Amino acid sequence: FRSAVQQGSSDIAMAGLTVNEERKQNVDFTTSYATGVQVVIVKQGSDITLDNLGDQMIGTQESTTGYIYCSLEFGEDHVIAYTNGATAVQSLLAGSVDCVVIDNEPAKAFVEANPDLTILDTEYAVEDYAIGVAKENSALLEAVDTALQELIADGTVQSIVDKYISAE
């Protein structure tokens, strides 16, 4: 998405786009509209902590922040990417992986549906989501940011997050 903005083939990028220093070099960002929290799901009674996470087999959903962070931090040989979060959680229940790193909202739903699972108390990663706009397109950035702040203020953004950030 962001490369399309950099190349001028799109005006904005917005699909859970994480704000980070590398991306700030290439695009400008609006105000953050949501915070993404990556957590670790484990079986009840597990001795897994953030300190020994790199010694585990970690399940994630492919092409997600959890996959990217874990494969960079612990190496791809410690991470198995599944097509969706539900499959990763099923693999945890079956013992194919030791834990699952995933966004907090779906994690809560998976744990609620599976009493044998729990979420570690410590968050694995926290990130801000924002809309990316081509560098130096300040007029568009200001217009999008103004509209976004109105949608945040009136609750529209939160209702969208609540509806679409789930275990589905």
Side-chain angles (χ1 to χ4, degrees), residues 92-135:
L92 171 60
L93 290 167
S96 301
V97 294
D98 301 308
C99 60
V100 172
V101 173
I102 194 166
D103 189 83
N104 188 49
E105 292 306 314
K108 289 189 291 189
F110 288 132
V111 168
E112 187 176 316
N114 296 283
D116 293 339
L117 301 179
T118 189
I119 298 171
L120 294 185
D121 288 339
T122 309
E123 300 164 341
Y124 175 63
V126 179
E127 58 193 4
D128 287 322
Y129 297 136
I131 299 171
V133 176
K135 281 279 191 193

Side-chain angles (χ1 to χ4, degrees), residues 31-157:
T31 301
S32 173
Y33 62 83
T35 300
V37 177
Q38 298 292 307
V39 297
V40 182
I41 303 174
V42 297
K43 288 183 178 178
Q44 290 280 2
S46 169
D47 62 356
I48 295 173
T49 66
L50 289 185
D51 292 334
N52 67 13
L53 195 58
D55 299 330
Q56 314 303 321
M57 281 306 300
I58 304 165
T60 66
Q61 184 174 337
E62 62 188 14
S63 303
T64 61
T65 299
Y67 173 77
I68 293 166
Y69 285 4
C70 290
S71 60
L72 286 174
E73 185 170 355
F74 306 118
E76 290 188 19
D77 55 332
H78 282 277
V79 183
I80 299 175
Y82 296 93
T83 56
N84 56 55
T87 305
V89 169
Q90 289 303 314
S91 293
L92 171 60
L93 290 167
S96 301
V97 294
D98 301 308
C99 60
V100 172
V101 173
I102 194 166
D103 189 83
N104 188 49
E105 292 306 314
K108 289 189 291 189
F110 288 132
V111 168
E112 187 176 316
N114 296 283
D116 293 339
L117 301 179
T118 189
I119 298 171
L120 294 185
D121 288 339
T122 309
E123 300 164 341
Y124 175 63
V126 179
E127 58 193 4
D128 287 322
Y129 297 136
I131 299 171
V133 176
K135 281 279 191 193
E136 300 175 14
N137 191 344
S138 57
L140 179 60
L141 179 64
E142 186 177 324
V144 171
D145 205 35
T146 298
L148 177 61
Q149 289 181 40
E150 290 173 9
L151 294 170
I152 291 169
D154 73 11
T156 301
V157 168

